[in-house]
């Protein structure tokens, strides 16, 4: 299965970021100087993805604008000698072929993925949740592709989380088959803490065969009354192996303001051009 397409669900209202998300899509909020969404499209491009399908909602047109070339701005930057900045402006539109589908109703993550069925066109594909941002080398999607090539089937990234928070995630029950690779026996979306089969939580990257679409069509509403991708994968498991890959790297939760702040500090501390200033910045606080 060659994976050249990634689906990025980005249709949510971003309520945790209100009032900012009244007019700025959450996915365009920056980590330092770059929108969250660009981090994940870069991760996709690094993994060899050529086509990115963004599932979005009406009112979030600025996401499409972000991935268009901005000739006028580039021209101005080049004329004023700001070559580096012109390169940064260009980078977003050069990463991959980006297209959009609209999810008309917020019926859940599984439904958002199903909305992309026609655009995916019968191939295996990746799903990237843009709230989960990784500092990882190679990128987490590349790590998943290595597992997929070796074991086949579907693959999902997981990490061990504290038991107190398992109820926020899709959780897998799985048997180890290699270092950091497990064959999934069952999955459950947002289980009550006492019912969670493990603390291995799904972490926002998936490689799926096209059969997932038929499974999603048969998936009834689940947690929060929504059609969940996790529940669709539970149906997929009846006929297809799905593996969980414990990725190497650091995950940041870009879905909350504090998670985004932590991501900015974390990336700021590893980026050479910002490391010293971020250290000085952190040292400047007196914490009572
Ligand atoms: C989604 C998925 C969940 C996964 C999580 C990772 O949940 O439904 O299975 O563990 O992303 O971030 P959400 O965070 O959208 O509630």
């Amino acid at each position: 299965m060659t994976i050249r397409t990634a689906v990025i669900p980005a249709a949510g209202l971003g309520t945790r970021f209100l009032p900012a998300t009244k007019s700025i899509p959450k996915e365009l909020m920056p980590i330092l100087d770059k929108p969250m969404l660009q981090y994940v499209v870069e991760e996709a491009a690094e993994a060899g993805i050529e086509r990115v399908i963004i599932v979005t909602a009406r009112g979030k047109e600025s996401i499409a604008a972000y991935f268009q070339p901005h000739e006028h701005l580039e021209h101005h930057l080049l004329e004023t000698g700001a070559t580096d900045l012109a390169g940064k402006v260009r980078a977003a539109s050069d990463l991959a072929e980006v297209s959009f589908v609209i999810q008309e109703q917020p019926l859940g993550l599984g439904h958002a993925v199903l909305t992309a069925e026609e655009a995916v066109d019968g191939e295996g594909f990746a799903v990237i949740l843009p709230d989960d941002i990784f500092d990882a080398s190679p990128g987490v999607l590349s790590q998943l592709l290595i597992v997929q090539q070796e074991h086949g089937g579907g693959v999902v990234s997981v990490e061990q989380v504290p038991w107190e928070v398992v109820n926020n995630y899709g959780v897998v029950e799985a048997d180890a088959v290699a270092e950091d690779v497990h064959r999934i026996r069952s999955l459950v979306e947002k289980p009550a803490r006492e019912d969670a089969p493990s603390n291995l939580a799904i972490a926002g990257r998936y490689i799926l065969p096209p059969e997932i679409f038929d499974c999603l069509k048969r998936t009834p509403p689940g947690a929060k009354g929504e059609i969940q991708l996790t529940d669709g994968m539970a149906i997929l498991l009846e006929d297809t192996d799905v593996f969980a890959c414990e990725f190497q790297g650091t995950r940041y939760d870009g879905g909350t303001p504090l998670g985004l702040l932590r991501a900015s500090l974390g990336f700021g501390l590893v980026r050479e051009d910002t490391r010293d200033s971020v250290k000085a910045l952190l040292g400047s606080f007196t914490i009572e």
Side-chain angles (χ1 to χ4, degrees), residues 243-255:
F243 296 90
C245 165
E246 277 189 76
F247 63 90
Q248 303 292 321
T250 305
R251 181 174 77 94
Y252 293 105
D253 178 9

Side-chain angles (χ1 to χ4, degrees), residues 158-223:
V158 294
E159 79 174 333
Q160 298 201 26
V161 297
W163 281 92
E164 309 85 77
V165 297
V166 284
N167 56 310
N168 295 325
Y169 295 95
V171 176
V172 307
E173 182 183 24
D175 305 308
V177 291
E179 203 186 338
D180 296 332
V181 183
H182 312 257
R183 179 182 282 108
I184 298 180
R185 259 194 281 154
S186 68
L187 314 99
V188 51
E189 179 67 16
K190 299 193 173 56
R193 286 176 192 126
E194 55 281 12
D195 298 338
S198 79
N199 66 339
L200 275 181
I202 298 175
R205 301 291 181 273
Y206 311 73
I207 297 189
L208 296 167
E211 288 74 26
I212 189 68
F213 293 119
D214 284 333
C215 300
L216 286 169
K217 286 174 199 158
R218 289 158 49 204
T219 303

